[in-house]
Amino acid sequence: MKIGMIGLGIMGKPMAKNILKAGFTDLQVSDLNKDAVAEVVAAGAVASDNKTIGETCDVVMTMLPNSPHVKAVMLGESGVVGYMKPGSCFIDMSSINPVASKEIAAALAEKGIEMLDAPVSGGEPKAIDGTLSFMVGGKQEVFDKFKPLLDSMGASVVRCGEVGAGNTTKLANQIIVACNIQAVAEALTMAQKAGVEPQLVFEAIRGGLAGSTVMEAKAPMMMEGNDKPGFKIDLHIKDLNNALDCAHSFGAPVPMTAAVQEILQWLHNNGCGQNDHSAIAKYYQALTGIEIGR
């Protein structure tokens, strides 16, 4: 199987390396960041360009920031779709609006090209260790064919429905993650302001109903003051904008999503957009003067 991957950012670069580690050695990669390309080439890939990837690969994969980037790469002037062969497949692992996924799939279908939308959850740590969760939309037979490829990067690969279902599921995931991080920051700030040590609160509740993967990953970062991004605030803003757009188009109420989006936007406006989304704690610090755990 000839594989092409476009997008070697925080997530895409380790994902490409895991494809190679799993034995999928015929991998071509493309990115504007030549240092990232060189690093993946050193791991066994071949540096390429979008045109060559489209012409020669059986499956083209993208890991890009948002809908406009995916549309530009695939459908824009000199877009990859124009070079792909009928019977080939496009797998978009980016987190984008499901409406855009369906639009891209329709354009591909006209050329006899299949598509899966397969966004991921887990952030940089799970991208590195190959334990991402994939939420996939597309035909069952296409999913079955390419599941082993997705398995090389993830611990969980679940088909959620037809094209668009993957990104709809990812938006649901991002709502839950954002609201959970906000709740952790709010709760630990409250505890510290009341004179109780946040670390002890964390240890006491982590094994109960309040415990979660989000708490395990983000509470220690808050208490250490560690803002190194596994997932940036600006990217979460993008995802929640897509969630709000999607919800509004279907008439779904999302008041909690809107509230946490306002907090994230405040952080962006105050120079924290490139911080990890656990920096939601900084919003409460600005209100209370409390630095969690410090």
Side-chain angles (χ1 to χ4, degrees):
M1 183 190 300
K2 295 182 183 294
I3 303 165
M5 186 159 175
I6 301 168
L8 302 174
I10 288 176
M11 301 289 288
K13 184 171 64 175
M15 291 167 73
K17 290 180 180 179
N18 283 326
I19 290 173
L20 293 164
K21 289 177 186 176
F24 295 98
T25 55
D26 198 344
L27 175 66
Q28 299 179 44
V29 294
S30 173
D31 193 276
L32 296 176
N33 184 337
K34 299 310 175 188
D35 289 340
V37 171
E39 188 174 332
V40 179
V41 167
V46 174
S48 190
D49 57 72
N50 293 0
K51 178 176 181 292
T52 304
I53 284 173
E55 289 174 338
T56 61
C57 291
D58 302 305
V59 55
V60 175
M61 311 179 81
T62 52
M63 189 63 178
L64 299 168
N66 203 357
S67 309
H69 306 90
V70 180
K71 283 187 172 182
V73 165
M74 296 304 296
L75 305 180
E77 187 176 351
S78 301
V80 177
V81 169
Y83 304 108
M84 292 175 71
K85 306 179 294 289
S88 59
C89 183
F90 170 51
I91 302 178
D92 180 31
M93 301 180 294
S94 319
S95 295
I96 68 174
N97 194 315
V99 174
S101 296
K102 292 178 181 180
E103 290 173 356
I104 296 167
L108 292 171
E110 292 178 0
K111 298 179 178 293
I113 301 165
E114 299 289 353
M115 177 177 168
L116 298 175
D117 65 310
V120 301
S121 178
E124 184 183 18
K126 290 184 178 292
I128 291 171
D129 64 20
T131 59
L132 291 166
S133 295
F134 280 85
M135 297 146 272
V136 188
K139 296 177 183 175
Q140 184 70 55
E141 60 269 25
V142 179
F143 172 80
D144 292 340
K145 180 177 180 179
F146 291 104
K147 185 177 183 292
L149 176 57
L150 300 179
D151 283 332
S152 72
M153 298 172 279
S156 171
V157 180
V158 178
R159 178 179 176 269
C160 303
E162 299 302 320
V163 170
N167 272 305
T168 301
T169 303
K170 176 59 186 291
L171 295 182
N173 179 87
Q174 293 304 82
I175 289 172
I176 293 168
V177 169
C179 293
N180 201 337
I181 295 173
Q182 180 192 358
V184 171
E186 189 167 295
L188 295 182
T189 299
M190 184 272 296
Q192 184 162 330
K193 198 164 179 62
V196 181
E197 186 178 333
Q199 179 65 39
L200 297 178
V201 174
F202 173 54
E203 291 173 7
I205 68 175
R206 64 194 298 193
L209 191 58
S212 68
T213 301
V214 169
M215 181 185 286
E216 290 295 318
K218 301 305 176 180
M221 292 182 70
M222 293 175 189
M223 290 184 284
E224 294 163 8
N226 176 12
D227 298 327
K228 183 179 181 295
F231 193 77
K232 296 177 181 178
I233 282 173
D234 281 349
L235 288 176
H236 216 136
I237 288 172
K238 177 265 296 186
D239 286 344
L240 294 190
N241 278 334
N242 284 334
L244 290 166
D245 287 345
C246 180
H248 294 162
S249 68
F250 292 107
V254 283
M256 289 179 66
T257 305
V260 72
Q261 178 72 315
E262 287 299 308
I263 293 174
L264 292 172
Q265 190 63 50
W266 183 92
L267 289 161
H268 168 84
N269 293 340
N270 284 273
C272 301
Q274 297 300 298
N275 290 172
D276 186 79
H277 49 182
S278 62
I280 282 177
K282 289 184 176 180
Y283 173 78
Y284 291 96
Q285 179 183 335
L287 294 177
T288 65
I290 294 290
E291 295 181 87
I292 295 173
R294 287 161 285 148

